[in-house]
Amino acid sequence: MLLNNYEKKHLAELRPHLAECTVLLRREDEAFPLEKPCRLALFGSGARRTVKGGTGSGEVNSRFFVTVEQGLKDAGFLITTNAWLDAYEERYAAARKAWVRRTKKEAHRAGVPAPLYGMGRVMPEPDYEIPLEPEGDAAVYVLARISGEGSDREPVRGDVKLTETEIRDILTLNACFEKFMLVLNVGGPVDLSEIPQVRNILLLSQLGVETGTALAQILLGQANPSGHLTTSWSAWEDYPRIGDFGDRNDTHYREGIYVGYRYFDSIGKKALFPFGFGLSYTSFARRLQSVRREGTRILLTVTVKNTGRLAGREVLQLYLSLPQGRLDQPFQKLAAFEKTDELEPGAEETLSLAFDLKDQAAYDTARAAWILEAGEYILRLGTSSRDTEAAARIALPEEVTVRQLRNALGEPDFEDWKPEPVAEKEACAYPDLPMLLLKKEDFETETVSYERLEKLVDGLAVLSDDELIRLNIGAFDPKAGLLGVIGDAGLSVAGAAGETTLTLRERSIPSLVMADGPAGLRLAPRFWRDKKGAHSADGGGLPDSVGEWLPAPVRAAADVLSSPKKMPDEAKIEYQYCTAVPIGTALAQSWNIGFAALCGDIVGAEMERFGVQLWLAPALNIHRSVLCGRNFEYFSEDPLISGKMAAALTRGVQLHPGCGVTVKHFAANNQENNRYGNNSQVSERAMREIYLKGFEIAVKEAQPAALMTSYNLLNGIHTAERRDLIWDVLRCEFGFEGIVMTDWIVSFMADRKNRHPKVSPRLVAAAGGELFMPGSKADFKDMRAGLREGSLSRAQLERNASRLLKLIRRLTPEE
Ligand code: BGC
């Protein structure tokens, strides 16, 4: 296949890192890696139907992609199970057809358009009887799952749980073959508790273009898995049921700060595969070298040695246990992490792990302050949250107020759950551990000011009210149909998700083009141009997954609906192939900040090439429940790793002149069910410590160009309409300088059955959200009415427009 040079370069840059995103969950003998390519019995849903990433706006259109079957064949394996793979294809296609038909009927009965009803919906893997023919020198079973925007996963067989067919076939192969590997081509956890006897399990994850190539390299030992989990993998029954999930109207985050390992560790329960866990083809030893402090920064140096027989990389994790005081605290939280370079057998590397104790403060809602309570803090060093050793202590004799804020974000209708305090047997059990003493005087209390004067750009006065409103709304084509706003509302670049207004060109105000991610850049691969802009040549640039839900005539006409006119016969087709990188969760599993920056750099280069200024990524919502259908786009259940990954991606993209990121979805958007009308009820403490923390890190470390609010409400008010969230928290506390945009078609999509009101464009603008996306005539009229009736002021529209104009100037300097 002929590739452009940039495609070759980007694939070559990604290739050495793909195994870093994969997690070896079990390795009970040394059956793997294999010595050489062999006769291989290959089975499972992901063998031929390999998933490179999930569905929805996160789908990336690369020129090609390597399935597991293809990757293994390319590497020289002889696949012995073609008959099984062919038979599976038939069973799957029949099951899918029947399921789509059934689901369309359900949609009809529910009165919801099929594309919306079916969006992201997971078809549970079917059961079947296909003889296994266990022929070959080794066997691999690839279990795949896919999910996506618009729907959540379900804790049923064929989704979170394995099917009876999968369990039967996996156990048979495990018993028949000395060399058997179960490979998980999934975007989030599956419940592995029913197959404890399987000796070798690799979480391959979904790695973009070369997913299959990466597996071949790992099986052959050309690459060593060095990923660690960023979410707890547990038996479904062991996940907490304290808060609820999935209600269409209200979701109660009753578990408060006890999300993921903060829950498991605090109640003393070990998840099947805990947060931070990951094995390797080699082994490592670590030696703590030093513990010291510089002001309030704590620094540890640790030497890691490769004690095994293959080259590999190790991840070190540093956790901090805070003293239980007035505020309850989780058993521990991640405070820092580092990854070694590739170490040859016998080689060593000394890593520095550092964090500022100020950043580990807890939020005291009663006092609206980040505080560090008096007591003993324990540092724990390890390679997973359940495999740590206490490494040092910090003594803080007096309580410290680190930062004084004011309360914000409203209140839920419950008090957060607290675990029974686990007796801290260890507190005084480490008399020999190094002890650092920090005093109140080492800290300075910072008081946040909520008064900020912003200098507006010149020339706003000459703009008419209508022109100002245009700047506050995305570019819309008043004639475009529904498809013109779903996922293909960009006019200058085909398949771009949106754009800022095009109506002010005569005032020399160019537009900013926005395209989705996060697993790369999502654009229409084939397009044509006319005077109005660029148009997708295939189905309106919609994500492929939406196509299946459209009636055939609509599908055929999709580009007519989304484009001003049909593609002329003489139109010249142009191409824009983008590189699909590992999904967000896989990227985070690498624990490699440098790799995240590289992925950002790759995306940035493609943005420059195709004329996109804003990438609608990274997405850093928290894995609150394994059921969230979009978790694959997100990094982790932990805010630190989420924030660090988002910051690194941001740096990578924003290295490119004219390119910026859009961190999303701000915030508490952790479920897809009725995402437009769902009210997340969350305490202020949980918001600040868990759901906002990653955004805070990304903003403070890397200053993303833009941010996207979420669809949901937060404690009764849509996030896009919350001035306290946008002004107090984001701008004044975090110091965000970029622009704030809404998620797409927030108001349009609201369902009449919703208990909560839909978003109002005028309230969004009044709250300081700069851009209502992707924009429509109705949004324009609403803002105009708001201005007339006084619920929206011209001064606010000017402030919003001013920030947007500053960004436009920064990202389009030559125009
Ligand atoms: C998604 C966003 C995406 C936007 C534009 C929305 O449905 O929630 O993540 O960026 O569409 O495609």
Side-chain angles (χ1 to χ4, degrees):
M1 190 183 304
L2 281 178
L3 303 186
N4 283 313
N5 285 342
Y6 77 91
E7 290 170 280
K8 283 191 219 152
K9 175 171 178 283
H10 292 168
L11 291 177
E13 283 171 344
L14 290 169
R15 206 167 297 133
H17 295 284
L18 296 179
E20 287 197 55
C21 305
T22 70
V23 184
L24 198 53
L25 292 174
R26 270 207 204 117
R27 185 181 185 230
E28 282 186 12
D29 44 39
E30 301 216 341
F32 291 90
L34 302 169
E35 271 168 25
K36 53 180 189 324
C38 59
R39 291 169 64 246
L40 188 82
L42 176 66
F43 303 94
S45 49
R48 200 171 266 176
R49 293 191 157 268
T50 309
V51 180
K52 77 175 193 310
T55 61
S57 58
E59 276 173 55
V60 172
N61 302 310
S62 38
R63 183 192 293 267
F64 72 105
F65 116 88
V66 185
T67 64
V68 164
E69 184 187 21
Q70 192 57 50
L72 294 176
K73 281 184 181 164
D74 292 349
F77 284 94
L78 184 79
I79 308 297
T80 61
T81 47
N82 285 324
W84 191 97
L85 296 171
D86 292 344
Y88 176 82
E89 269 305 294
E90 268 177 35
R91 305 289 201 288
Y92 178 88
R96 180 91 198 168
K97 209 164 150 197
W99 178 78
V100 170
R101 206 180 311 124
R102 252 191 341 265
T103 312
K104 280 185 179 168
K105 280 194 189 142
E106 276 172 36
H108 185 70
R109 276 198 299 276
V112 180
L116 269 191
Y117 192 84
M119 193 177 184
R121 211 159 265 259
V122 179
M123 175 182 104
E125 177 63 20
D127 277 304
Y128 45 80
E129 296 281 339
I130 309 175
L132 273 184
E133 320 153 33
E135 258 292 303
D137 306 315
V140 165
Y141 187 99
V142 188
L143 184 144
R145 292 287 187 268
I146 190 162
S147 71
E149 173 172 6
S151 295
D152 290 309
R153 299 177 64 198
E154 290 197 47
V156 296
R157 293 212 177 276
D159 192 347
V160 172
K161 288 180 169 258
L162 308 196
T163 63
E164 281 166 14
T165 305
E166 287 169 336
I167 295 175
R168 179 197 67 205
D169 290 355
I170 290 167
L171 292 183
T172 305
L173 295 168
N174 189 56
C176 289
F177 282 86
E178 202 185 307
K179 294 174 188 291
F180 169 65
M181 178 79 88
L182 168 61
V183 172
L184 305 172
N185 174 217
V186 298
V190 280
D191 179 348
L192 297 175
S193 62
E194 292 179 282
I195 49 167
Q197 52 280 68
V198 176
R199 287 158 292 145
N200 297 290
I201 306 181
L202 175 76
L203 166 57
L204 176 65
S205 199
Q206 299 169 345
L207 304 175
V209 179
E210 294 200 334
T211 302
T213 317
L215 178 63
Q217 288 180 333
I218 292 169
L219 292 178
L220 292 171
Q222 294 158 0
N224 189 348
S226 64
H228 286 239
L229 295 178
T230 55
T231 280
S232 308
W233 278 49
S234 157
W236 165 250
E237 284 69 27
D238 288 343
Y239 283 115
R241 305 275 187 285
I242 302 158
D244 48 33
F245 180 91
D247 183 85
R248 63 171 290 116
N249 288 309
D250 286 272
T251 307
H252 303 87
Y253 289 44
R254 287 198 185 86
E255 70 286 352
I257 56 170
Y258 296 93
V259 176
Y261 69 91
R262 285 167 167 78
Y263 164 80
F264 284 105
D265 296 352
S266 301
I267 64 157
K269 185 175 224 149
K270 188 168 180 220
L272 197 56
F273 299 101
F275 175 85
F277 177 78
L279 302 170
S280 166
Y281 284 154
T282 188
S283 52
F284 299 94
R286 61 171 185 266
R287 217 167 47 245
L288 179 65
Q289 302 284 10
S290 70
V291 182
R292 66 196 166 86
R293 76 172 178 100
E294 281 171 10
T296 56
R297 272 175 74 74
I298 312 293
L299 296 105
L300 272 76
T301 50
V302 185
T303 300
V304 178
K305 179 173 184 175
N306 183 345
T307 53
R309 292 199 298 268
L310 280 167
R313 305 183 70 162
E314 177 65 306
V315 173
L316 285 188
Q317 302 158 32
L318 184 63
Y319 295 85
L320 180 72
S321 298
L322 279 75
Q324 302 286 343
R326 263 185 306 118
L327 301 182
D328 53 299
Q329 299 294 350
F331 173 72
Q332 60 183 358
K333 49 188 185 180
L334 185 68
F337 59 90
E338 283 295 334
K339 190 166 193 176
T340 64
D341 288 332
E342 173 120 316
L343 297 178
E344 290 300 322
E348 294 190 343
E349 184 180 341
T350 299
L351 298 176
S352 298
L353 291 122
F355 68 92
D356 197 315
L357 193 59
K358 284 194 301 228
D359 297 335
Q360 301 302 322
Y363 185 70
D364 183 356
T365 310
R367 292 180 39 209
W370 289 100
I371 62 163
L372 289 164
E373 291 196 68
E376 194 166 281
Y377 292 68
I378 300 173
L379 289 168
R380 301 171 197 277
L381 184 64
T383 52
S384 92
S385 67
R386 294 286 70 197
D387 167 32
T388 58
E389 294 175 309
R393 295 178 294 166
I394 302 169
L396 187 68
E398 265 183 281
E399 180 170 317
V400 178
T401 300
V402 171
R403 215 168 179 224
Q404 185 62 56
L405 317 177
R406 67 184 185 202
N407 289 112
L409 312 176
E411 281 176 13
D413 62 12
F414 55 83
E415 296 244 318
D416 282 355
W417 174 85
K418 291 178 190 167
E420 291 295 315
V422 183
E424 179 50 295
K425 290 176 236 97
E426 296 173 321
C428 48
Y430 305 115
D432 302 332
L433 284 185
M435 165 80 95
L436 303 173
L437 177 65
L438 264 87
K439 301 214 189 83
K440 200 170 177 178
E441 305 78 79
D442 295 316
F443 297 85
E444 257 174 52
T445 303
E446 186 199 343
T447 302
V448 174
S449 158
Y450 295 92
E451 306 303 318
R452 275 165 45 125
L453 278 182
E454 279 180 61
K455 195 173 165 334
L456 300 192
V457 296
D458 296 333
L460 291 169
V462 304
L463 297 178
S464 67
D465 288 354
D466 279 2
E467 284 175 320
L468 273 179
I469 295 175
R470 282 290 193 168
L471 280 171
N472 275 260
I473 300 180
F476 57 91
D477 175 353
K479 290 193 224 89
L482 175 62
L483 293 173
V485 288
I486 305 180
D488 188 26
L491 301 170
S492 310
V493 176
E499 191 160 350
T500 58
T501 191
L502 292 155
T503 56
L504 297 176
R505 282 172 172 161
E506 68 281 9
R507 289 204 184 271
S508 305
I509 299 178
S511 63
L512 296 180
V513 176
M514 307 160 192
D516 264 309
L521 196 62
R522 187 170 69 77
L523 294 177
R526 297 177 345 117
F527 69 100
W528 56 280
R529 298 177 204 265
D530 64 9
K531 284 202 299 292
K532 289 209 150 190
H535 316 282
S536 165
D538 314 282
L542 289 171
D544 285 349
S545 56
V546 177
E548 144 179 80
W549 300 102
L550 298 172
V554 176
R555 215 175 314 154
D559 50 328
V560 183
L561 289 177
S562 70
S563 306
K565 57 180 183 204
K566 203 171 167 7
M567 183 169 98
D569 291 341
E570 69 287 359
K572 182 173 158 268
I573 299 285
E574 296 178 57
Y575 299 88
Q576 41 190 14
Y577 289 110
C578 302
T579 306
V581 304
I583 56 167
T585 307
L587 189 55
Q589 282 167 187
S590 75
W591 296 68
N592 183 347
I593 296 296
F595 179 47
L598 171 68
C599 289
D601 185 20
I602 287 172
V603 171
E606 295 183 4
M607 288 169 73
E608 274 196 82
R609 183 176 191 96
F610 299 122
V612 173
Q613 286 80 39
L614 285 174
W615 188 40
L616 301 177
L620 63 154
N621 295 93
I622 290 288
H623 293 170
R624 170 177 178 251
S625 159
V626 295
L627 298 183
C628 175
R630 283 186 97 168
N631 274 356
F632 70 95
E633 297 185 51
Y634 308 149
F635 301 113
S636 172
E637 66 190 22
D638 177 77
L640 177 81
I641 188 154
S642 302
K644 293 278 178 189
M645 286 289 152
L649 276 161
T650 302
R651 282 192 293 269
V653 169
Q654 296 191 171
L655 263 181
H656 294 265
C659 299
V661 306
T662 310
V663 288
K664 69 185 187 186
H665 310 88
F666 193 66
N669 181 183
N670 306 94
Q671 105 176 16
E672 288 299 291
N673 187 25
N674 194 25
R675 57 191 178 145
Y676 309 103
N678 197 275
N679 179 28
S680 296
Q681 294 206 33
V682 198
S683 70
E684 189 181 347
R685 179 173 182 200
M687 278 307 292
R688 291 184 180 280
E689 291 193 21
I690 306 289
Y691 299 101
L692 298 176
K693 193 77 183 175
F695 288 96
E696 179 175 6
I697 294 170
V699 168
K700 289 183 171 165
E701 280 194 13
Q703 201 55 256
L707 169 142
M708 187 191 293
T709 49
S710 52
Y711 286 126
N712 55 286
L713 300 91
L714 170 64
N715 296 325
I717 301 177
H718 276 282
T719 53
E721 296 174 353
R722 288 208 80 114
R723 198 170 172 79
D724 55 357
L725 183 65
I726 295 170
W727 179 256
D728 293 21
V729 174
L730 181 65
R731 295 215 179 270
C732 298
E733 295 173 17
F734 299 175
F736 180 66
E737 302 287 349
I739 59 152
V740 176
M741 68 179 80
T742 63
D743 199 345
W744 265 229
I745 28 181
V746 254
S747 50
F748 176 81
M749 293 300 236
D751 187 322
R752 259 178 279 120
K753 283 184 281 185
N754 287 349
R755 178 182 303 156
H756 302 293
K758 62 178 194 170
V759 173
S760 139
R762 68 182 85 172
L763 292 186
V764 169
E770 281 79 26
L771 268 179
F772 202 88
M773 291 303 297
S776 70
K777 216 152 102 186
D779 304 334
F780 181 81
K781 283 188 181 161
D782 185 81
M783 284 197 199
R784 210 191 234 171
L787 200 55
R788 208 174 41 239
E789 291 157 20
S791 47
L792 179 60
S793 66
R794 179 167 166 115
Q796 183 63 49
L797 285 175
E798 285 188 358
R799 279 197 290 278
N800 296 349
S802 170
R803 289 197 206 102
L804 178 66
L805 290 172
K806 280 185 198 164
L807 187 67
I808 291 179
R809 278 191 197 154
R810 198 179 105 204
L811 297 182
T812 57
E814 73 281 4
E815 293 193 51

